[in-house]
Amino acid sequence: MSSNLFPFGENEPMDDVFRVMTVCTGNICRSPMAEVVLRDRFEAAGLGERVVVDSTGISAEEHGNPIDPRARAVLAARGYPVPVREAREVRAIDLVASDLVLAMTEVHAHALRRLAGADDVVAGRVVMFRAFDPAAPRIAPGGREYVLDVDDPWYGGPDDFEDCLTQVEAAADGVVARVRLALAEHDSGT
C-alpha cells in the first residue's frame, strides 16, 4: 500500500480531523464493534482529538436499532466502553466526508464503491478492514477480496462474536499506524 493511500483532499474536514468509517450490513454487529475498538486504539495512541470514527451499514433493515446485545456483551467483557448508538444506513455524503472507509466484507466494499459512483477518489477510500491485519490472507493478483471478510457473527453464538472481535482487534493497530502516517504526511505538507 502506498503511504499516500488516504490523502486529505478537497473535502478535507476543518481542523485537520481524519474521519474513519466502518461499514457492515445492518450496523449492529461488526461495524459498531470495529468503531468501538478503533476509538479505543486511537485514544490510546494519542490521536483521539485528531481522528473521528463512525460506523454505518449498507442496508436500512436495522436503522434505528441499538448495537446487538451479543456484540455489546463481548465488547464489555474485554473492557471496551460501549456507547449508546443507533444503526444507520450509509449515504453517498458519508463516503465523501470520510477519509477512510473500512468495509467488513467484499460485498460491503462493492456496495460502497457503487455508491461512490464515478468518483474514483471517493471509491479509492474504500479498503477492506482486514487488509490491515498482518496475519490475514493476502489477495493474490487478480484475486477476490472475500479472503479478507470479517466473519459475520449474527447467526452464531457467543463464540462467533468473540471470533469477530478478535478479527477486528487484529487489524486495529494496522489501521492506527496507517492513519498516523497519513496525518504525519498531512502535517509535513507531503
Side-chain angles (χ1 to χ4, degrees), residues 22-37 55-57 62 65-72 74-75 85 87 104 150-156 160-161 164-165 168:
T22 61
V23 184
C24 68
T25 303
N27 190 219
I28 60 169
C29 295
R30 290 172 285 184
S31 61
M33 290 169 74
E35 174 187 350
V36 167
V37 170
S55 67
T56 60
E62 298 289 350
N65 289 335
I67 188 170
D68 186 287
R70 299 166 295 175
R72 176 180 293 285
V74 74
L75 285 164
R85 56 173 311 285
M104 295 293 125
V150 173
D151 295 337
D152 187 355
W154 173 255
Y155 295 104
D160 296 287
F161 281 84
C164 179
L165 183 54
V168 166

Side-chain angles (χ1 to χ4, degrees), residues 85-152:
R85 56 173 311 285
E86 293 182 352
R88 68 182 186 87
E89 184 178 12
V90 66
R91 301 163 300 158
I93 191 69
D94 296 319
L95 298 179
V96 171
S98 297
D99 298 294
L100 173 60
V101 180
L102 297 169
M104 295 293 125
T105 70
E106 179 182 60
V107 169
H108 303 138
H110 286 294
L112 292 164
R113 291 177 186 130
R114 272 193 313 275
L115 186 59
D119 191 332
D120 291 340
V121 172
V122 172
R125 296 175 188 163
V126 177
V127 180
M128 295 290 289
F129 188 87
R130 286 192 66 216
F132 295 96
D133 176 355
R138 295 294 158 225
I139 300 171
R144 303 236 342 252
E145 293 176 302
Y146 74 88
V147 299
L148 295 176
D149 284 1
V150 173
D151 295 337
D152 187 355

